[in-house]
Amino acid sequence: MTTSSADVATTHAARDWAGTVGNFLVRHIMIVVMVAIIAFFAYRSARFATPDNLMTILVAAAPFALIALGQTLVILTGGIDLSVGSVIAASAMAAAWSAKNMGDNPLYPLGAAVLAGLVAGAINGLVVSRLNVPPFIATLGMLTLASGVAYVIGNGAPINGLPSSYGVFANTSVGGITIPVLLMIVAILAFAFIMRRTAYGLRVYALGGNRLAAEIAGVRSKGILFSVYVISGLLAGLSGLMLSSRVITGAPNLGQGYELDAIAAVVIGGASLMGGRGTVWGTAIGLLLIQTINNGLDLLLVPAYWQNVIKGVIIVAAVAVDVWAAKRRK
């Protein structure tokens, strides 16, 4: 029995097509995982795949997006910032205090939150870059310090009775989209451009890939290290303002545990904790994956204690799949 040249060509074409599809799926494995999770929740809950619920996911994701972007820069240098959750709390309390005691002007809480975040980030940056303290230890100390400051500002209690203007930061919509969601979109686009199209972004990658080689090439490693922690602190400050503005109150325990979800989003997005590998778009996908899981489990009325178990398993599985895909790509 002979095989015609047409049959051979068809077989080769089918194999090439299958190989192309397979390579695409491997390269974009986290998008595939994301689509699968969305399909599952959409099948189980009629409320999930609705415009209103999509906006709910985006609103919940916005504060996390800011700290995840800052965490991305820090992790790209081979560091880690454990303090962002406590910096959120301290910034929120500083903003709430200024709104209550300095007059009904939205610029006061905005300035207070930004200043608190910048100070915390600058201290982290100085300790890491100038004193050569390991980032884990330096930011762990700031975690405790900022948490204490948050309670000191409110004398151990939340700050209530804030003016209605305080809610403008989180509850104002432009074209049907709230300010936090707009800020998240702008921040993701801006940082994606900065990290891929500017000299600063290339230096961050170079520093995380090989610090000695980067310094030999002329990269000012101390300045870059200082800057990424300052940026992380600044974004945590804005996140604290958005979270407290949403409920128009200052809570000293706000942001507790947020640093873990931020780190998880960065790692799920394909970043290496050793530095030098990761993207802003990967972080955005990891962030939306976590928020989608949170939202879907809520809609399915899964008890909170089981949600943590399920989310932990899914996160570990997603990272394992990404590692497998990375090996296949190589």
Side-chain angles (χ1 to χ4, degrees):
M1 184 177 179
T2 59
T3 302
S4 67
S5 59
D7 291 338
V8 173
T10 301
T11 301
H12 284 308
R15 288 177 179 174
D16 290 342
W17 182 85
T20 300
V21 172
N23 289 334
F24 176 85
L25 294 178
V26 169
R27 287 196 307 270
H28 303 89
I29 191 65
M30 292 313 301
I31 296 178
V32 175
V33 172
M34 181 76 174
V35 170
I37 290 175
I38 290 174
F40 171 77
F41 285 128
Y43 171 75
R44 292 299 305 274
S45 173
R47 293 173 54 197
F48 181 81
T50 62
D52 287 343
N53 192 56
L54 172 61
M55 186 56 63
T56 298
I57 293 174
L58 293 177
V59 169
F64 282 103
L66 296 184
I67 59 174
L69 289 172
Q71 196 74 250
T72 301
L73 269 64
V74 172
I75 288 177
L76 282 174
T77 64
I80 197 166
D81 190 351
L82 299 176
S83 68
V84 289
S86 294
V87 174
I88 284 175
S91 301
M93 292 298 286
W97 183 91
S98 67
K100 188 169 185 176
N101 295 281
M102 297 181 65
D104 190 10
N105 187 332
L107 292 179
Y108 293 142
L110 174 61
V114 168
L115 180 61
L118 285 174
V119 169
I123 293 174
N124 282 336
L126 288 172
V127 172
V128 171
S129 66
R130 300 294 176 179
L131 302 182
N132 295 318
V133 175
F136 183 92
I137 301 301
T139 58
L140 182 62
M142 178 54 69
L143 181 154
T144 305
L145 172 62
S147 178
V149 168
Y151 280 95
V152 167
I153 293 174
N155 291 320
I159 298 178
N160 299 311
L162 302 179
S164 59
S165 62
Y166 189 71
V168 68
F169 302 104
N171 302 316
T172 301
S173 296
V174 178
I177 303 177
T178 61
I179 288 179
V181 174
L182 288 174
L183 182 58
M184 173 181 68
I185 295 172
V186 170
I188 290 174
L189 293 175
F191 277 98
F193 176 82
I194 290 170
M195 297 310 296
R196 282 301 183 188
R197 301 294 181 182
T198 69
Y200 175 80
L202 296 177
R203 287 168 184 154
V204 171
Y205 278 104
L207 181 61
N210 189 318
R211 179 170 180 173
L212 179 59
E215 290 177 342
I216 292 174
V219 174
R220 298 175 58 188
S221 60
K222 292 182 178 180
I224 296 294
L225 280 176
F226 176 77
S227 69
V228 297
Y229 286 96
V230 169
I231 292 172
S232 181
L234 169 63
L235 294 176
L238 291 174
S239 179
L241 176 63
M242 287 195 298
L243 286 167
S244 61
S245 174
R246 185 185 301 171
V247 293
I248 315 182
T249 188
N253 62 345
L254 194 66
Q256 188 174 17
Y258 281 29
E259 64 277 357
L260 300 180
D261 275 351
I263 294 170
V266 178
V267 174
I268 288 174
S272 169
L273 291 175
M274 302 302 293
R277 179 169 68 88
T279 66
V280 170
W281 293 116
T283 295
I285 293 173
L287 168 78
L288 292 176
L289 178 64
I290 292 175
Q291 294 304 317
T292 299
I293 294 172
N294 289 339
N295 178 268
L297 293 177
D298 284 339
L299 290 179
L300 296 181
L301 302 179
V302 177
Y305 48 87
W306 273 111
Q307 286 193 26
N308 290 331
V309 174
I310 295 171
K311 187 168 71 171
V313 171
I314 293 176
I315 289 173
V316 172
V319 173
V321 169
D322 184 60
V323 171
W324 169 81
K327 291 180 179 179
R328 286 291 302 272
R329 288 194 292 269
K330 291 180 180 179

